mmCIF file of all heavy atoms in Angstrom:
data_model
loop_
_atom_site.group_PDB
_atom_site.id
_atom_site.type_symbol
_atom_site.label_atom_id
_atom_site.label_comp_id
_atom_site.label_asym_id
_atom_site.label_seq_id
_atom_site.Cartn_x
_atom_site.Cartn_y
_atom_site.Cartn_z
ATOM 1 N N GLU A 189 -17.023 8.810 -10.982
ATOM 2 C CA GLU A 189 -17.286 7.880 -9.847
ATOM 3 C C GLU A 189 -16.599 6.546 -10.159
ATOM 4 O O GLU A 189 -16.749 5.994 -11.261
ATOM 5 C CB GLU A 189 -18.809 7.654 -9.738
ATOM 6 C CG GLU A 189 -19.225 6.857 -8.531
ATOM 7 C CD GLU A 189 -19.441 7.713 -7.283
ATOM 8 O OE1 GLU A 189 -19.150 8.915 -7.308
ATOM 9 O OE2 GLU A 189 -19.896 7.114 -6.278
ATOM 10 N N PRO A 190 -15.830 5.974 -9.202
ATOM 11 C CA PRO A 190 -15.207 4.673 -9.492
ATOM 12 C C PRO A 190 -16.275 3.573 -9.649
ATOM 13 O O PRO A 190 -17.332 3.639 -9.016
ATOM 14 C CB PRO A 190 -14.363 4.406 -8.216
ATOM 15 C CG PRO A 190 -14.830 5.355 -7.178
ATOM 16 C CD PRO A 190 -15.451 6.497 -7.913
ATOM 17 N N ASN A 191 -16.011 2.632 -10.541
ATOM 18 C CA ASN A 191 -17.002 1.614 -10.866
ATOM 19 C C ASN A 191 -16.611 0.317 -10.192
ATOM 20 O O ASN A 191 -16.114 -0.606 -10.803
ATOM 21 C CB ASN A 191 -17.073 1.455 -12.409
ATOM 22 C CG ASN A 191 -18.174 0.530 -12.796
ATOM 23 O OD1 ASN A 191 -19.132 0.340 -12.086
ATOM 24 N ND2 ASN A 191 -18.054 -0.070 -13.993
ATOM 25 N N ILE A 192 -16.822 0.243 -8.879
ATOM 26 C CA ILE A 192 -16.388 -0.884 -8.093
ATOM 27 C C ILE A 192 -17.414 -2.023 -8.189
ATOM 28 O O ILE A 192 -18.621 -1.770 -8.010
ATOM 29 C CB ILE A 192 -16.119 -0.508 -6.601
ATOM 30 C CG1 ILE A 192 -14.991 0.506 -6.551
ATOM 31 C CG2 ILE A 192 -15.774 -1.720 -5.751
ATOM 32 C CD1 ILE A 192 -14.754 1.126 -5.197
ATOM 33 N N ASP A 193 -16.945 -3.215 -8.453
ATOM 34 C CA ASP A 193 -17.781 -4.385 -8.553
ATOM 35 C C ASP A 193 -17.925 -5.082 -7.199
ATOM 36 O O ASP A 193 -17.162 -5.991 -6.866
ATOM 37 C CB ASP A 193 -17.198 -5.351 -9.616
ATOM 38 C CG ASP A 193 -18.188 -6.454 -9.999
ATOM 39 O OD1 ASP A 193 -19.049 -6.822 -9.186
ATOM 40 O OD2 ASP A 193 -17.998 -7.026 -11.123
ATOM 41 N N PHE A 194 -18.846 -4.607 -6.395
ATOM 42 C CA PHE A 194 -18.995 -5.149 -5.018
ATOM 43 C C PHE A 194 -19.414 -6.590 -4.988
ATOM 44 O O PHE A 194 -18.975 -7.335 -4.122
ATOM 45 C CB PHE A 194 -20.010 -4.283 -4.256
ATOM 46 C CG PHE A 194 -19.551 -2.850 -4.010
ATOM 47 C CD1 PHE A 194 -20.092 -1.819 -4.740
ATOM 48 C CD2 PHE A 194 -18.584 -2.546 -3.079
ATOM 49 C CE1 PHE A 194 -19.660 -0.498 -4.586
ATOM 50 C CE2 PHE A 194 -18.143 -1.252 -2.870
ATOM 51 C CZ PHE A 194 -18.709 -0.237 -3.621
ATOM 52 N N LYS A 195 -20.209 -6.975 -5.940
ATOM 53 C CA LYS A 195 -20.625 -8.388 -6.037
ATOM 54 C C LYS A 195 -19.429 -9.265 -6.247
ATOM 55 O O LYS A 195 -19.340 -10.335 -5.640
ATOM 56 C CB LYS A 195 -21.669 -8.546 -7.184
ATOM 57 C CG LYS A 195 -22.264 -9.934 -7.293
ATOM 58 C CD LYS A 195 -23.298 -10.111 -6.157
ATOM 59 C CE LYS A 195 -23.821 -11.555 -6.166
ATOM 60 N NZ LYS A 195 -24.425 -11.915 -4.862
ATOM 61 N N ARG A 196 -18.498 -8.806 -7.075
ATOM 62 C CA ARG A 196 -17.276 -9.561 -7.311
ATOM 63 C C ARG A 196 -16.428 -9.719 -6.078
ATOM 64 O O ARG A 196 -15.876 -10.781 -5.803
ATOM 65 C CB ARG A 196 -16.475 -8.935 -8.457
ATOM 66 C CG ARG A 196 -15.319 -9.730 -8.971
ATOM 67 C CD ARG A 196 -14.697 -9.079 -10.171
ATOM 68 N NE ARG A 196 -15.596 -8.969 -11.252
ATOM 69 C CZ ARG A 196 -15.692 -9.761 -12.304
ATOM 70 N NH1 ARG A 196 -14.914 -10.833 -12.360
ATOM 71 N NH2 ARG A 196 -16.579 -9.588 -13.256
ATOM 72 N N ILE A 197 -16.309 -8.616 -5.299
ATOM 73 C CA ILE A 197 -15.560 -8.685 -4.066
ATOM 74 C C ILE A 197 -16.185 -9.750 -3.158
ATOM 75 O O ILE A 197 -15.495 -10.578 -2.540
ATOM 76 C CB ILE A 197 -15.544 -7.349 -3.304
ATOM 77 C CG1 ILE A 197 -14.955 -6.236 -4.180
ATOM 78 C CG2 ILE A 197 -14.757 -7.435 -1.994
ATOM 79 C CD1 ILE A 197 -15.016 -4.839 -3.573
ATOM 80 N N GLU A 198 -17.483 -9.719 -3.055
ATOM 81 C CA GLU A 198 -18.232 -10.656 -2.224
ATOM 82 C C GLU A 198 -17.985 -12.094 -2.623
ATOM 83 O O GLU A 198 -17.712 -12.955 -1.802
ATOM 84 C CB GLU A 198 -19.741 -10.343 -2.325
ATOM 85 C CG GLU A 198 -20.533 -10.730 -1.107
ATOM 86 C CD GLU A 198 -21.970 -10.205 -1.173
ATOM 87 O OE1 GLU A 198 -22.234 -9.233 -1.964
ATOM 88 O OE2 GLU A 198 -22.811 -10.776 -0.522
ATOM 89 N N GLN A 199 -18.027 -12.317 -3.940
ATOM 90 C CA GLN A 199 -17.770 -13.662 -4.489
ATOM 91 C C GLN A 199 -16.377 -14.139 -4.217
ATOM 92 O O GLN A 199 -16.124 -15.297 -3.844
ATOM 93 C CB GLN A 199 -18.067 -13.697 -5.993
ATOM 94 C CG GLN A 199 -19.561 -13.586 -6.321
ATOM 95 C CD GLN A 199 -19.763 -13.285 -7.783
ATOM 96 O OE1 GLN A 199 -18.852 -12.898 -8.542
ATOM 97 N NE2 GLN A 199 -21.031 -13.423 -8.270
ATOM 98 N N ILE A 200 -15.371 -13.254 -4.391
ATOM 99 C CA ILE A 200 -13.982 -13.594 -4.115
ATOM 100 C C ILE A 200 -13.783 -13.871 -2.637
ATOM 101 O O ILE A 200 -13.204 -14.870 -2.205
ATOM 102 C CB ILE A 200 -13.006 -12.468 -4.593
ATOM 103 C CG1 ILE A 200 -13.074 -12.338 -6.125
ATOM 104 C CG2 ILE A 200 -11.609 -12.741 -4.141
ATOM 105 C CD1 ILE A 200 -12.432 -11.080 -6.678
ATOM 106 N N ALA A 201 -14.315 -12.999 -1.784
ATOM 107 C CA ALA A 201 -14.163 -13.122 -0.331
ATOM 108 C C ALA A 201 -14.805 -14.412 0.207
ATOM 109 O O ALA A 201 -14.345 -14.993 1.146
ATOM 110 C CB ALA A 201 -14.751 -11.909 0.359
ATOM 111 N N SER A 202 -15.868 -14.837 -0.457
ATOM 112 C CA SER A 202 -16.550 -16.062 0.006
ATOM 113 C C SER A 202 -15.737 -17.318 -0.373
ATOM 114 O O SER A 202 -15.906 -18.378 0.214
ATOM 115 C CB SER A 202 -17.937 -16.180 -0.601
ATOM 116 O OG SER A 202 -17.874 -16.413 -1.998
#
Side-chain angles (χ1 to χ4, degrees):
E189 187 87 353
N191 187 23
I192 297 173
D193 191 336
F194 295 104
K195 186 73 186 160
R196 189 175 298 265
I197 302 173
E198 207 172 338
Q199 289 167 345
I200 293 167
S202 70

